[in-house]
């Protein structure tokens, strides 16, 4: 039984380390110039000066809570784009997405902000609007 507790603690430590690593990578991507969006975004997605890209996976538990929030935001503003990483793997790779859910705010071809992991409705609104004026 003690080995099971040790195994669970080791697994939690590894998962925490991977999450921390993804957050560090996201922080370093801010203000990075992205490839031309017309080449990166899927066909049918209009390129705008300011866009919020939401990367999710159907099998991600945290994505199931964030997706309805992003869809509600999309109904208010069509510059919010929802992208399944399985279908848009190359877009995710070009933007350095390594885990889901991930939100990437683009302003004039640059990464203005990145959020990795779950997010509340209030925090999502603040992330989306707070970076708007910068």
């Amino acid at each position: 039984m003690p080995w099971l507790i040790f195994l669970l603690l080791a697994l939690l430590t590894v998962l925490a380390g991977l999450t921390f690593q993804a957050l560090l990578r996201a922080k370093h991507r801010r203000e990075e110039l992205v490839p031309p969006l017309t080449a990166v975004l899927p066909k049918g997605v209009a390129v705008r000066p300011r866009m919020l890209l939401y990367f999710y996976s159907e099998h991600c538990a945290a994505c199931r809570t964030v997706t309805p929030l992003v869809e509600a935001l999309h109904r208010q503003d069509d510059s919010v784009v929802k992208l399944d990483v399985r279908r848009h793997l190359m877009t995710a790779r070009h933007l350095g997405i390594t885990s889901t859910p991930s939100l990437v705010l683009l302003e004039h071809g640059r990464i203005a902000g990145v959020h990795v992991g779950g997010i509340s409705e209030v925090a999502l609104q603040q992330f989306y609007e707070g970076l708007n004026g910068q």
Side-chain angles (χ1 to χ4, degrees):
M1 193 64 154
W3 62 270
L4 184 60
I5 293 171
F6 176 76
L7 184 63
L8 286 174
L9 286 174
L11 180 62
L12 287 174
T13 304
V14 168
L15 289 175
L18 291 173
T19 302
F20 182 71
Q21 193 176 30
L23 290 172
L24 280 178
R25 262 190 249 114
K27 183 178 178 185
H28 292 300
R29 301 235 14 164
R30 188 155 190 217
E31 294 299 319
E32 187 175 305
L33 192 61
V34 298
L37 292 177
T38 52
V40 173
L41 293 176
K43 288 183 172 45
V45 175
V47 175
R48 307 200 188 256
R50 185 173 167 278
M51 299 179 74
L52 179 66
L53 304 180
Y54 168 60
F55 292 91
Y56 73 99
S57 171
E58 292 177 8
H59 304 291
C60 166
C63 296
R64 289 186 205 122
T65 61
V66 177
T67 299
L69 304 176
V70 172
E71 288 172 345
L73 193 57
H74 172 73
R75 287 190 290 275
Q76 297 171 9
D77 185 350
D78 63 350
S79 65
V80 176
V81 180
K82 190 174 103 172
L83 300 167
D84 184 345
V85 292
R86 281 187 160 181
R87 292 191 307 195
H88 305 288
L89 185 59
M90 292 312 293
T91 303
R93 283 187 180 167
H94 281 294
L95 294 174
I97 301 302
T98 57
S99 60
T100 58
S102 289
L103 295 159
V104 179
L105 186 63
L106 302 174
E107 290 185 353
H108 304 290
R110 291 191 179 276
I111 296 175
V114 178
H115 179 85
V116 178
I119 191 168
S120 69
E121 184 175 4
V122 172
L124 174 62
Q125 199 69 30
Q126 289 173 345
F127 176 75
Y128 184 63
E129 291 175 356
L131 296 172
N132 188 13
Q134 292 183 357

